[in-house]
Amino acid sequence: MSLHELLGTHAGDLLAACPTEPRLYRRQHTALDQAITLDLMNSYIDHGLTAPSRTAAVKNGRAVHPGRFSENGQMRRGKLRGLIEEGHTVNLREIQRNAPFLAEFCARVQAETGYTLYVSAIITPAGETGLTHHWDQTTVLAAQMSGRKRWPLWAPTVQHPMDDHLGSPTQWTREMQQIWDTTDPFATYTLEPGDTLVIPRGWVHAPVCAGEEPSFHLTFALRERTPLDLAHQLIASALDHDTFREGLAPTQLRADNLGSTLGNVREMITDYLAGLDLDRLADRIAPQLTGTP
């Protein structure tokens, strides 16, 4: 049970309801802590074992150009280490692609939750900040592996961001920044090894490495399923019915006719859904959600 390794005896909390506020959990020292260490991540960095397209170096909210640490799609050995020594946070995104233990771990979490996910390994030098105020499109489980990190969190400015909708980079305003700079956070957590912080999507944070040692944490980014996900599955199931595959004439798509055409299609959808065998559809899509054959 992989969620147990992240949340301890409270793993059932995440299965019972989507989190609406941040919460700190204390987990036991598990196989995750034994398998994914700072030494291992340092070897990935020093041997250039990550992909430039999934690697970022950030300091005080400013990311460096990938050309500082890569060339022709390959990592330049020693360059990422140099950026760390200059105070940059290194983010090894989707590190489960490189670490079989994490790939298997993610598969088990998806089987438990029905959520797809990825993992980022994030290393921040002592006293430094990587990304400043921002929010994520996913629910984050930040598992502190070594060192300490302080997480101030502010309540969401936008509700339920997801995928490319309501992303932090496109929604940010000076007014938002002024609020975050001048108001106390909703809560501040200082994570130590063995802690996991659950951050619901949309909650604003600006973490900083606390103490005199580098901070290393794993971000498990869980893409919560939404009613829209299941709505897509309901509509996609109509593909098996030939009436939904019939062509629409160009005149039906003209501006003066499009409203009527949409109305006809809506009526088709309503009639189709009213007669749909939901139990049969559930049996069909359940393996897709959990990633099982």
Side-chain angles (χ1 to χ4, degrees), residues 21-291:
E21 292 185 354
R23 183 172 176 182
L24 181 64
Y25 295 87
R26 182 70 183 175
R27 66 182 192 276
Q28 299 296 322
H29 188 80
T30 67
L32 174 67
D33 300 271
Q34 296 172 2
I36 309 299
T37 64
L38 180 58
D39 285 344
L40 177 64
M41 294 300 101
N42 279 332
S43 70
Y44 277 57
I45 290 170
D46 293 334
H47 293 286
L49 301 181
T50 60
S53 60
R54 298 193 298 270
T55 303
V58 185
K59 182 176 181 179
N60 296 326
R62 298 179 64 88
V64 305
H65 189 278
R68 296 261 321 259
F69 55 78
S70 66
E71 185 175 13
N72 297 324
Q74 300 293 321
M75 299 296 292
R76 300 168 62 192
R77 289 183 61 174
K79 296 300 182 180
L80 207 53
R81 176 62 58 194
L83 289 169
I84 293 174
E85 292 172 353
E86 293 175 10
H88 289 80
T89 289
V90 165
N91 182 348
L92 307 179
R93 295 191 297 266
E94 299 185 41
I95 193 63
Q96 81 279 0
R97 292 173 177 260
N98 301 77
F101 180 93
L102 288 176
E104 295 172 3
F105 193 96
C106 287
R108 294 196 299 272
V109 172
Q110 182 175 350
E112 288 179 72
T113 62
Y115 298 167
T116 57
L117 69 154
Y118 64 89
V119 188
S120 293
I122 300 176
I123 301 168
T124 302
E128 299 290 352
T129 297
L131 288 176
T132 51
H133 298 87
H134 68 286
W135 63 83
D136 294 309
Q137 309 297 92
T138 59
T139 292
V140 165
L141 277 61
Q144 192 70 25
M145 309 302 288
S146 66
R148 300 167 66 238
K149 201 158 202 177
R150 185 169 64 252
W151 294 76
L153 293 115
W154 289 259
T157 301
V158 302
Q159 296 300 317
H160 308 306
M162 59 179 287
D163 301 333
D164 295 328
H165 186 60
L166 299 177
S168 187
T170 61
Q171 298 296 308
W172 178 92
T173 66
R174 293 184 183 276
E175 290 74 19
M176 290 180 187
Q177 189 65 55
Q178 184 176 18
I179 291 173
W180 301 327
D181 288 340
T182 59
T183 60
D184 291 333
F186 172 88
T188 299
Y189 300 91
T190 299
L191 271 61
E192 299 185 354
D195 288 338
T196 299
L197 179 62
V198 174
I199 307 173
R201 55 194 167 109
W203 278 75
V204 178
H205 46 282
V208 59
C209 182
E212 299 180 356
E213 298 179 5
S215 165
F216 165 43
H217 79 270
L218 294 173
T219 288
F220 292 82
L222 276 63
R223 184 185 180 276
E224 291 177 344
R225 301 292 184 177
T226 67
L228 189 59
D229 289 312
L230 296 187
H232 286 157
Q233 293 284 356
L234 287 167
I235 298 300
S237 69
L239 182 64
D240 293 332
H241 296 260
D242 56 3
T243 53
F244 284 94
R245 302 197 306 272
E246 293 177 356
L248 294 172
T251 55
Q252 293 175 280
L253 305 178
R254 287 194 329 218
D256 55 343
N257 290 329
L258 187 55
S260 175
T261 303
L262 287 170
N264 292 336
V265 173
R266 180 177 62 186
E267 185 175 348
M268 290 172 59
I269 292 172
T270 301
D271 292 343
Y272 168 71
L273 293 179
L276 188 60
D277 185 336
L278 296 179
D279 290 334
R280 183 178 178 183
L281 179 61
D283 290 340
R284 176 177 169 181
I285 68 174
Q288 299 175 34
L289 299 179
T290 59

